[in-house]
Amino acid sequence: MDPVTDPIAEAHRQWSARWPEHADRMAAVTSVMRAQQLLLGRIEAALKPFGLTFAAYEALRLLAFTRTGTLPMGKMGVRLMVHPASVTNVVGRLEQRGLARRAPSPDDRRVVLATITPAGRELAERATAALHEDGFGLADLTAEQAAAVTGALRAVRVSAGDLPD
Amino acid sequence: MDPVTDPIAEAHRQWSARWPEHADRMAAVTSVMRAQQLLLGRIEAALKPFGLTFAAYEALRLLAFTRTGTLPMGKMGVRLMVHPASVTNVVGRLEQRGLARRAPSPDDRRVVLATITPAGRELAERATAALHEDGFGLADLTAEQAAAVTGALRAVRVSAGDLPD
């Protein structure tokens, strides 16, 4: 790697000269930050024509996958790995656009259910097609390279307590 | 992977049933987003006692690495892989805290130079020690696992046009 063209390789070189035992972790963290920034930019550009952020798309997609189109908001938070307040925010904005609606559960009024509307399902399909068209910003990666990303980051998620070992 | 305990594995399963050719890329992108969220939380917690965001830490660290403690702001943007306006913002806040200062270049007054102060150098060293203590949020990873993350994400960066192939 040419240190002039790759700032992460250059940072790794700087770290290796001072704290060699920490250089690989520093480069890994910086790589995650940089990859996220690049991919989020690509994905939000692909979703912009649909007026969706990536978080809104994920919520819509999750509801579209269910048989009934309905999920408790709490369960959505777990599945989307986001804070309950973020789910409330995202689903609230989908509701304003007629893409989802919220109602208390008939079984337990403390539980709020989110349900995707037909317009929401239709938008989810079109947005998914656009992301596929764009290869999720990773069109040049082979399936094997993509699986290597998921595998390497699984160790990060285990280390951060996101998953059992 | 247990689909109940790993939402990304569950999403991969859903995708594979409908769009198998896109499942690996979807899981890779979602893994990057999730890993970034986890690591940023860990790192910003480690930096909080120093009043630094990760972006501010990176700017300070970059200046501390230079022999003279000075860099043109434009070069900082390239090295930190951020927009010039972000560099202005971050260095402005470092300046308010007496950690850096800005001045026009004596050679070309259109160029603004940022210089780290002794207080800035001292804080950079202490913050770096805290990040090392925390293993950059990746203490459980071996050096090999960390290098695998960097390697797998290099393909992502090449695909996104961040690096030459």
Side-chain angles (χ1 to χ4, degrees):
Chain A
M1 283 191 264
D2 178 353
V4 174
T5 56
D6 185 354
I8 293 177
E10 170 62 10
H12 188 272
R13 194 184 65 75
Q14 297 270 20
W15 236 266
S16 296
R18 286 165 182 80
W19 312 285
E21 70 276 31
H22 298 292
D24 289 320
R25 288 190 187 89
M26 181 285 304
V29 163
T30 310
S31 295
V32 169
M33 299 294 170
R34 181 60 181 161
Q36 189 268 349
Q37 186 183 339
L38 290 162
L39 290 176
L40 190 64
R42 300 275 300 250
I43 285 175
E44 300 225 307
L47 290 175
K48 202 173 176 183
F50 307 101
L52 295 172
T53 61
F54 189 47
Y57 168 76
E58 285 190 298
L60 209 54
R61 185 72 265 165
L62 179 60
L63 290 171
F65 273 144
T66 63
R67 201 168 36 79
T68 59
T70 297
L71 277 177
M73 303 270 281
K75 188 165 182 182
M76 290 182 72
V78 173
R79 289 284 299 281
L80 297 172
M81 302 177 285
V82 297
H83 195 270
S86 303
V87 178
T88 302
N89 191 282
V90 164
V91 175
R93 275 179 290 141
L94 293 176
E95 190 168 38
Q96 280 167 15
R97 293 181 57 196
L99 303 171
R101 51 195 159 72
R102 284 179 291 185
S105 165
D107 301 328
D108 179 349
R109 296 191 60 84
R110 290 164 305 180
V111 173
V112 179
L113 301 176
T115 301
I116 193 167
T117 64
R121 281 193 189 273
E122 198 255 340
L123 196 71
E125 294 313 310
R126 287 199 291 135
T128 301
L131 289 173
H132 288 167
E133 178 85 16
D134 186 52
F136 286 98
L138 294 174
D140 297 344
L141 260 65
T142 63
E144 289 68 28
Q145 286 177 310
V149 169
T150 304
L153 292 177
R154 194 165 194 281
V156 172
R157 296 174 60 215
V158 169
S159 171
D162 195 33
L163 288 173
D165 201 342
Chain B
M1 283 190 263
D2 178 352
V4 174
T5 56
D6 184 354
I8 293 177
E10 170 63 11
H12 188 272
R13 195 185 64 76
Q14 298 270 18
W15 235 268
S16 295
R18 286 165 181 80
W19 312 286
E21 70 276 29
H22 298 292
D24 289 320
R25 288 190 187 88
M26 181 285 304
V29 164
T30 310
S31 295
V32 169
M33 299 294 169
R34 180 62 180 160
Q36 190 268 349
Q37 185 183 340
L38 290 162
L39 291 176
L40 190 64
R42 299 277 297 251
I43 284 174
E44 299 225 308
L47 291 175
K48 202 172 177 186
F50 307 100
L52 295 172
T53 61
F54 189 48
Y57 168 76
E58 286 191 297
L60 210 53
R61 185 72 265 166
L62 179 61
L63 290 171
F65 273 145
T66 62
R67 201 169 35 80
T68 60
T70 297
L71 276 176
M73 303 270 282
K75 188 165 182 180
M76 290 182 72
V78 172
R79 288 284 300 280
L80 297 172
M81 304 178 285
V82 298
H83 194 270
S86 303
V87 178
T88 302
N89 190 282
V90 164
V91 175
R93 275 178 292 141
L94 293 175
E95 191 169 38
Q96 280 167 15
R97 294 181 57 196
L99 303 171
R101 51 195 159 72
R102 284 178 290 184
S105 165
D107 302 327
D108 179 350
R109 297 192 58 84
R110 291 165 303 180
V111 173
V112 179
L113 301 176
T115 301
I116 193 167
T117 64
R121 280 192 190 275
E122 199 254 339
L123 195 71
E125 293 314 309
R126 289 199 292 133
T128 300
L131 289 174
H132 288 168
E133 178 84 17
D134 186 51
F136 287 97
L138 294 175
D140 297 345
L141 259 66
T142 63
E144 289 68 30
Q145 286 177 309
V149 169
T150 304
L153 292 177
R154 195 166 193 280
V156 172
R157 296 173 61 214
V158 169
S159 172
D162 195 33
L163 288 173
D165 202 339

